[in-house]
Amino acid sequence: MLRLQLNASFGDFLLNVDTEICLDSATAIIGPNGSGKTTFLRSLAGLTKANGQIALGENVWMDSHSKTYMPVHKRPIGYMSQSPVLLPHLSVRSNLRLASFLAKRKSMKGKGIPIDSVVDSLNVRDLLDRKPHTLSGGETSRIALAQALLSNPKLLMLDEPLASVDVDRKAEFVPYLKSVHREYRIPMLYVTHSLSEVAALCEHTVVLRNGQIHKQGETTKVLQALQESPEIVGEFDAGTVLSGRIVRHDERFLLTYISSCNQELIVPTQDSMEVGDEVRLRIRARDISVATARPTQISIRNILKGEVLHVVSDNDTPNCEVHVKCGNEVIRALVTRASVVDLRIEAGNQVFALVKSVTIEY
């Protein structure tokens, strides 16, 4: 358990947080720009001056009353900033060896995660002899994550680790983060603006707003509750988080079948996922179409039968939301008001929610 009573100022900004975070999994730290996400992490790491108390289990890192303060270099954390920095004159191999050496020296026990284990887990063996300036943004992020792991941390703190990764590579990087949590069981605090990353990686979510905790709890419930918060979830990023279980893989077509909504969803296969795994899926409302009859001769493979709960419409915009109950889940679809009128979609109607497999994030 991570116990926090934090007061930190940065210019005119004030962070005031009093909470406990269960560290049995990955926890997302999200919120609008300027809400205090980075200040929160830096205060934990000791990089930003703060008052109050920080305790990880029985270990007190900071206590203003007793004047206890654990220096930055002694805090058992692996910290990855928005802009990872590698020593430019060293090869990737030497950068990793240095991180491992410093971790062993710090612990004084000579133990830590073996370099080979991290190298293979993050698939960076072919990068070892290269210099940092030759790496792409995604490759640099993987090496920075490897460094954080080699510091032998009790807590990983990642501050928008995919900020420098291009869109095409982000989808490749998320499975590496999943494998890190699965293989090393190191709790993680994960700052991001991406709700898709939150849904895919994090069991718990903390929402900051104006330096204070706005919401906190299990990820699915928090994300569903945020759908009406436009400063955090814009109209075109609103969506649905579904729970599911992997049923089988189609090795020929590289597709995975997931049981969800009392039906079956088909998604592109991820190498790290195995049959029986519980997963969370995020489907953006803008990626869902609605039909009043089951379509045929169509490339879309996910056709979910459901009932319209209600239609949320605003005459000042061309779009509206159709909420469809599929099994025990409610799916949000963003469609035009004209379509709703033409198809006569209203509460109680039986409809079909159409979702392209490639748009489902998990």
Side-chain angles (χ1 to χ4, degrees), residues 49-114:
K49 185 178 179 180
N51 296 312
Q53 185 184 67
I54 303 172
L56 180 64
E58 299 301 318
N59 298 316
V60 177
W61 295 3
M62 182 186 77
D63 190 324
S64 298
H65 294 296
S66 63
K67 297 184 178 180
T68 299
Y69 185 83
M70 182 182 289
V72 176
H73 67 278
K74 290 189 176 181
R75 299 191 185 193
I77 61 173
Y79 188 90
M80 182 176 168
S81 65
Q82 296 180 23
S83 302
V85 178
L86 306 177
L87 294 179
H89 63 287
L90 297 179
S91 66
V92 167
R93 188 192 310 275
S94 296
N95 269 283
L96 295 183
R97 283 177 174 171
L98 177 60
S100 180
F101 169 77
L102 293 175
K104 292 176 181 177
R105 183 178 178 183
K106 176 171 141 181
S107 68
M108 301 301 290
K109 295 178 182 178
K111 295 182 179 180
I113 301 174

Side-chain angles (χ1 to χ4, degrees), residues 290-356:
V290 177
T292 54
R294 180 182 289 275
T296 60
Q297 302 298 312
I298 188 173
S299 65
I300 295 177
R301 305 193 66 79
N302 296 300
I303 303 174
L304 302 177
K305 183 179 180 179
E307 178 184 328
V308 177
L309 288 182
H310 49 267
V311 178
V312 182
S313 183
D314 183 347
N315 290 337
D316 292 332
T317 71
N319 304 318
C320 64
E321 274 197 1
V322 179
H323 295 187
V324 182
K325 183 174 176 60
C326 298
N328 296 322
E329 306 277 6
V330 177
I331 293 178
R332 304 160 66 103
L334 184 68
V335 299
T336 63
R337 289 192 295 116
S339 293
V340 168
V341 172
D342 289 345
L343 296 174
R344 299 179 181 177
I345 295 174
E346 58 186 29
N349 286 4
Q350 176 181 292
V351 296
F352 296 88
L354 315 180
V355 192
K356 293 180 67 174

Side-chain angles (χ1 to χ4, degrees), residues 166-190:
D166 61 58
V167 174
D168 292 336
R169 297 298 180 189
K170 284 185 179 182
E172 297 177 7
F173 195 86
V174 169
Y176 289 122
L177 290 171
K178 288 182 180 178
S179 69
V180 164
H181 180 63
R182 185 177 64 251
E183 293 181 29
Y184 301 111
R185 294 297 173 187
I186 301 172
M188 182 189 304
L189 294 181
Y190 188 88

Side-chain angles (χ1 to χ4, degrees), residues 13-161:
F13 177 79
L14 178 64
L15 178 73
N16 185 3
V17 171
D18 186 347
T19 190
E20 292 186 345
I21 297 176
C22 185
L23 294 180
D24 59 350
S25 60
T27 298
I29 311 296
I30 65 175
N33 289 332
S35 61
K37 301 183 295 296
T38 295
T39 301
F40 179 82
L41 283 198
R42 288 180 60 84
S43 297
L44 281 178
L47 298 171
T48 292
K49 185 178 179 180
N51 296 312
Q53 185 184 67
I54 303 172
L56 180 64
E58 299 301 318
N59 298 316
V60 177
W61 295 3
M62 182 186 77
D63 190 324
S64 298
H65 294 296
S66 63
K67 297 184 178 180
T68 299
Y69 185 83
M70 182 182 289
V72 176
H73 67 278
K74 290 189 176 181
R75 299 191 185 193
I77 61 173
Y79 188 90
M80 182 176 168
S81 65
Q82 296 180 23
S83 302
V85 178
L86 306 177
L87 294 179
H89 63 287
L90 297 179
S91 66
V92 167
R93 188 192 310 275
S94 296
N95 269 283
L96 295 183
R97 283 177 174 171
L98 177 60
S100 180
F101 169 77
L102 293 175
K104 292 176 181 177
R105 183 178 178 183
K106 176 171 141 181
S107 68
M108 301 301 290
K109 295 178 182 178
K111 295 182 179 180
I113 301 174
I115 290 181
D116 282 342
S117 173
V118 174
V119 165
D120 291 335
S121 176
L122 297 180
N123 192 26
V124 295
R125 189 167 294 280
D126 61 338
L127 306 178
L128 293 178
D129 295 322
R130 290 169 57 180
K131 290 292 183 67
H133 74 273
T134 69
L135 303 177
S136 68
E139 290 168 342
T140 300
S141 293
R142 272 191 283 160
I143 300 303
L145 180 58
Q147 283 184 314
L149 286 171
L150 290 171
S151 68
N152 198 23
K154 294 188 182 300
L155 176 63
L156 270 176
M157 300 200 302
L158 310 182
D159 189 359
E160 297 195 56

